[in-house]
Amino acid sequence: MKMTKKLVFVMVTLLLVLSMVVIGCDVFGKADVGGTKHSTTLTVDASGTKPENTIDTKYRRAFKKISKTEDVGFITTKITVDTADVTGASVVGYMFDIHTKDKKMSFNLIGWKPFDGSNKFYIERYENVDLAKLRKDDAGNPLDTDESSLGDYKSFVGDVGSMTLGNEQVPNDWKDLPIGVVETTAAKASLTISIKQEPEGTYAVYFGAGDNAKKIATYEGAVKSKDNSDPEWDKYCVGGIGVYANCIKGAKVVAKYDTEKNTFKDKTIVGPAFNMIEE
């Protein structure tokens, strides 16, 4: 049976709509991830209210890469969480400079603890983590563990504002967020994270929006852009972007990530912004 032009148009339109959903690799750990790359909702549930949400370990972690490629150099994302009825130790996170090679993954992880009012954070560097281990631990559980971290890492150290990657893992690497960078209401908290480059080839991490934005840390990117359409891009480091949560047993975390489509205001800046390379 031949399809009418109208039916073909409807099917093509549907395919275009489906293509706008979150693009990237599969979910690591047990989580629901929905929305688009510019408006992503991550839900990690260890509340135990349903059998599938019950865990025997201390933590349920999950993450997903939301960038289609690993070629992002600039991005600004606002993370919003519902702070009502959530246990304080749970963490919401953001990943940048993700690189996958030879079945291993390296990335920088920003963790934020918004649920107990302390507004503490950390930045850690994980290198060459086995993808099989990230998908399932030794007991066959996807990132449901008693371990306090995803594995061995290096901590970002120094004063907030000039933090850089250290050479070792710091057991308690939590830092206080600068005053004013977190937006709060009676039941919600939001933190805007911007990944910039100052100068080209050096990531600069900012927390806060607009005039409240404050520089937190810098990191020398190891992988440079190879976009041959614009040689200026070759100066910039690039990587993938991901969303992350660490939910403690008995709790549920819902985090929404809203990413700006115009990643930077200064139109004279040339570089691999999230929306410029992904669409």
Side-chain angles (χ1 to χ4, degrees):
M1 182 178 69
K2 293 183 178 180
M3 291 186 291
T4 65
K5 290 183 178 180
K6 183 177 181 180
L7 180 57
V8 171
F9 175 79
V10 170
M11 292 181 68
V12 171
T13 301
L14 179 60
L15 288 172
L16 287 173
V17 170
L18 290 174
S19 70
M20 293 176 66
V21 299
V22 174
I23 299 172
C25 64
D26 54 342
V27 177
F28 291 83
K30 183 175 175 60
D32 293 321
V33 186
T36 70
K37 66 178 188 173
H38 289 294
S39 183
T40 307
T41 299
L42 170 67
T43 301
V44 181
D45 194 344
S47 64
T49 55
K50 296 180 180 179
E52 61 267 28
N53 298 333
T54 301
I55 61 175
D56 296 323
T57 59
K58 294 180 181 179
Y59 308 105
R60 167 162 284 171
R61 293 182 177 86
F63 70 89
K64 180 182 176 71
K65 190 174 78 171
I66 62 170
S67 56
K68 181 180 179 181
T69 68
E70 295 180 348
D71 295 311
V72 181
F74 297 84
I75 192 167
T76 296
T77 300
K78 183 178 182 179
I79 308 172
T80 301
V81 295
D82 188 340
T83 55
D85 301 321
V86 179
T87 307
S90 294
V91 174
V92 172
Y94 194 63
M95 303 164 69
F96 71 98
D97 198 40
I98 301 172
H99 290 283
T100 309
K101 184 178 180 181
D102 299 329
K103 297 182 179 180
K104 296 182 184 295
M105 181 180 286
S106 300
F107 53 88
N108 294 327
L109 175 62
I110 300 171
W112 170 41
K113 188 164 63 173
F115 303 112
D116 63 353
S118 67
N119 281 318
K120 290 184 177 294
F121 78 96
Y122 60 73
I123 308 179
E124 297 168 346
R125 173 72 181 169
Y126 290 81
E127 296 180 340
N128 298 317
V129 183
D130 195 321
L131 287 177
K133 183 177 180 181
L134 287 173
R135 289 193 172 93
K136 294 191 179 218
D137 64 15
D138 294 337
N141 300 310
L143 296 185
D144 290 356
T145 71
D146 289 321
E147 300 299 323
S148 59
S149 68
L150 283 168
D152 294 332
Y153 61 86
K154 296 177 182 178
S155 299
F156 276 65
V157 296
D159 296 331
V160 175
S162 58
M163 295 175 66
T164 56
L165 181 64
N167 294 320
E168 59 186 11
Q169 177 175 325
V170 177
N172 185 4
D173 55 3
W174 290 97
K175 299 276 190 177
D176 291 323
L177 277 167
I179 296 173
V181 299
V182 176
E183 304 171 51
T184 59
T185 64
K188 295 185 182 297
S190 298
L191 174 65
T192 297
I193 297 176
S194 296
I195 307 298
K196 305 180 182 182
Q197 296 195 32
E198 299 172 348
E200 301 95 328
T202 299
Y203 287 111
V205 180
Y206 281 78
F207 290 165
D211 293 338
N212 289 326
K214 292 181 173 59
K215 190 173 183 178
I216 303 299
T218 58
Y219 171 73
E220 297 285 339
V223 179
K224 296 294 182 66
S225 172
K226 292 182 174 59
D227 189 294
N228 295 323
S229 65
D230 190 337
E232 285 294 311
W233 285 30
D234 295 346
K235 301 176 183 178
Y236 296 91
C237 48
V238 292
I241 298 295
V243 297
Y244 168 87
N246 175 9
C247 184
I248 70 165
K249 182 177 181 178
K252 178 180 179 179
V253 171
V254 179
K256 186 177 180 184
Y257 297 76
D258 291 308
T259 298
E260 290 185 9
K261 292 190 176 181
N262 295 318
T263 309
F264 38 71
K265 309 298 181 185
D266 186 350
K267 300 302 182 182
T268 65
I269 296 177
V270 179
F274 182 62
N275 54 286
M276 292 175 64
I277 62 167
E278 295 286 321
E279 293 180 339

